[in-house]
Amino acid sequence: MRPAPAGVGRALAGPLRPDPCKLKSYRVAKTIAFAKESGAGGALSGIFVLPRERSDSDIPPAAIPSILGPKRLGEGQHHFSQTPGAPMSFFNKLRDRLTRSSSKLGEGLDAIVEEAAEAPAPEPAPTGLLGRLFKPEAAPAEAPRRVLDDAMLESLEELLIASDMGVETALRVTANLAEGRMGRKMSTPEIKTALAAEIARIMEPVARPLPIYPKRPQVVLIVGVNGSGKTTTIGKLASQFRAAGKSVVIAAGDTFRAAAVEQLQVWGDRAGVPVLTAPEGSDPASLAFDAMTKAQETGADLLMIDTAGRLQNRADLMEELSKIVRVIRKKDPEAPHNTLLVLDATTGQNALLQVEVFRKLADVSGLVMTKLDGTAKGGVLVALADRFGLPIHAIGVGEQIDDLQPFDPDDFARALVGL
């Protein structure tokens, strides 16, 4: 697996640990640029970008962001937090619930370093009477260090591949880590810091909020396999949209699963959002058309359409999604305005296959990764970012509404390696 192609290391080469303040400022600037490109051009609201509709007097005092702080971003632009007064910061929650992935990496790194670690030089013995009487306290033991060489890099590659980053991404990360560090003695904490910097650099370009347009209703199509967390994600997004002052309509388009419809109705009741349903087994495209009509009549800001996810029968799924799109375009030729693919982190590398399939079936515009709290395969998110470059709007680490939060590459990278 040695060596990486020429130029790979230089492509993402940079300082060992980017300044977090510069990373945050860079991320804010990129988010504003993306909002302008997409036509949203408004206030930032965590997972999504709000259009310029609110005046300063409309901003609730509790809606101060916890990640980027109450920093003024420009005329008509503010950050909003959907979870004011949260008792635990999302980074701490993310770090706490990514322990399966971070423990796997941490234990592997310890084993790699200790395998050929160089013992620290012994302290010189005190001499003379005074030296023996006033023997200094023993210094704390130094962390084991190992020279970064080809053998160590190969072990690191194998560890990253086992963490579901994939071969290509593991090669890229280790090649960049080796740039300017070959032959240097490194400890596990230093390797973790370097890995976090490289992972964050790969994922920085895909950390984008979901653009929200002034167009009413904005149609958001939700796709994904059964069990990926689509229904729960729709409920959480609807609750957060409502908290941001948006009116939402949900169409329970997975008419083949009664449980999905019932679950959406529960989320709708919690959020005060109407949920349109149809008899089990009925045509989801017909339901989507009715939901589009209702959203237009009521002046709803967003229409969220759930869909069935049956990858084992791709021809039927393709036809079903195509029919839904054809039907809603009779009402709005530009719909759907967003197509979100919800992925289950516990599927590991299978998530790459799902992205490939759904990109062919639907014009996927962004990703949401769920269930990061229950897997040791968190590295797959790095592989997705590196391979497809699709925007990652949000990640989920639990069942509560505030367990779905905007994707922050720096926080994710540090939590993934256990910093």
Side-chain angles (χ1 to χ4, degrees):
M1 301 179 70
R2 300 247 55 82
V8 172
R10 290 187 294 275
L12 296 176
L16 178 64
R17 175 72 174 173
D19 186 338
C21 295
K22 292 182 179 178
L23 270 179
K24 299 294 186 184
S25 301
Y26 173 67
R27 184 152 47 249
V28 171
K30 286 196 64 178
T31 303
I32 296 173
F34 173 66
K36 290 179 179 178
E37 290 173 8
S38 61
L44 303 178
S45 185
I47 293 176
F48 43 90
V49 183
L50 297 174
R52 286 182 180 153
E53 294 179 353
R54 298 181 175 215
S55 65
D56 286 349
S57 60
D58 293 328
I59 301 170
I64 301 298
S66 57
I67 295 178
L68 297 182
K71 178 180 178 180
R72 194 61 174 264
L73 302 177
E75 185 178 354
Q77 295 178 326
H78 302 269
H79 268 285
F80 291 85
S81 169
Q82 286 80 34
T83 55
M88 182 180 186
S89 75
F90 187 69
F91 170 67
N92 290 333
K93 188 181 295 185
L94 178 65
R95 183 172 56 186
D96 180 57
R97 297 184 184 179
L98 265 177
T99 49
R100 291 191 182 184
S101 296
S102 60
S103 296
K104 184 176 182 179
L105 271 173
E107 292 171 3
L109 288 174
D110 287 338
I112 289 172
V113 171
E114 292 171 2
E115 180 182 0
E118 295 187 2
E123 291 287 335
T127 58
L129 178 62
L130 291 179
R132 290 192 294 272
L133 289 176
F134 301 99
K135 183 178 180 180
E137 294 184 5
E142 292 186 5
R145 292 176 176 272
R146 177 178 174 179
V147 174
L148 185 61
D149 54 16
D150 284 348
M152 183 176 176
L153 280 180
E154 196 161 322
S155 297
L156 285 174
E157 288 167 6
E158 293 172 357
L159 176 62
L160 296 180
I161 292 170
S163 301
D164 276 81
M165 284 193 192
V167 176
E168 293 180 5
T169 304
L171 282 170
R172 178 187 296 272
V173 171
T174 52
N176 293 341
L177 185 145
E179 188 75 20
R181 300 185 181 95
M182 289 298 286
R184 182 190 301 180
K185 296 179 182 178
M186 298 188 71
S187 64
T188 298
E190 290 172 340
I191 296 173
K192 285 184 177 182
T193 300
L195 279 176
E198 298 303 337
I199 291 170
R201 192 174 288 115
I202 286 176
M203 307 196 77
E204 189 74 38
V206 302
R208 294 183 173 185
L210 174 68
I212 300 300
Y213 307 102
K215 174 77 176 181
R216 294 185 180 182
Q218 177 173 339
V219 181
V220 182
L221 193 66
I222 313 293
V223 299
V225 301
N226 289 335
S228 63
K230 282 190 291 103
T231 305
T232 303
T233 297
I234 292 172
K236 292 176 181 179
L237 286 175
S239 297
Q240 296 186 16
F241 285 136
R242 285 284 294 155
K246 295 294 178 180
S247 57
V248 184
V249 173
I250 296 176
D254 190 354
T255 58
F256 297 92
R257 288 198 311 131
V261 175
E262 294 171 359
Q263 192 177 0
L264 270 180
Q265 288 176 318
V266 171
W267 277 104
D269 291 340
R270 290 180 186 173
V273 172
V275 178
L276 275 65
T277 63
E280 186 175 353
S282 59
D283 184 11
S286 176
L287 174 63
F289 184 85
D290 293 341
M292 189 78 173
T293 302
K294 179 177 177 62
Q296 289 177 335
E297 290 176 350
T298 59
D301 295 306
L302 292 114
L303 168 61
M304 305 185 71
I305 303 177
D306 190 13
T307 60
R310 301 184 309 282
L311 272 183
Q312 66 272 22
N313 195 340
R314 298 176 189 177
D316 285 355
L317 179 58
M318 180 183 296
E319 176 55 31
E320 181 179 303
L321 288 174
S322 299
K323 187 176 180 181
I324 290 174
V325 172
R326 288 198 307 269
V327 165
I328 60 179
R329 281 181 177 171
K330 293 179 180 179
K331 290 283 189 178
D332 184 348
E334 297 179 356
H337 305 94
N338 310 96
T339 302
L340 303 185
L341 173 57
V342 180
L343 298 167
D344 177 356
T346 63
T347 60
Q349 287 290 298
N350 186 258
L352 300 172
L353 173 62
Q354 293 178 33
V355 173
E356 286 187 350
V357 171
F358 276 102
R359 288 184 78 183
K360 296 175 182 177
L361 302 183
D363 186 17
V364 175
S365 62
L367 306 177
V368 176
M369 178 67 80
T370 66
K371 305 183 185 180
L372 282 165
D373 55 318
T375 181
K377 302 177 179 180
V380 69
L381 196 57
V382 187
L384 287 167
D386 189 37
R387 181 167 176 178
F388 298 106
L390 285 169
I392 300 174
H393 299 311
I395 56 175
V397 293
E399 293 296 325
Q400 303 302 315
I401 291 177
D402 61 354
D403 288 337
L404 183 72
Q405 288 286 329
F407 175 63
D408 184 303
D410 189 50
D411 286 351
F412 175 81
R414 288 186 290 136
L416 181 64
V417 302
L419 287 179

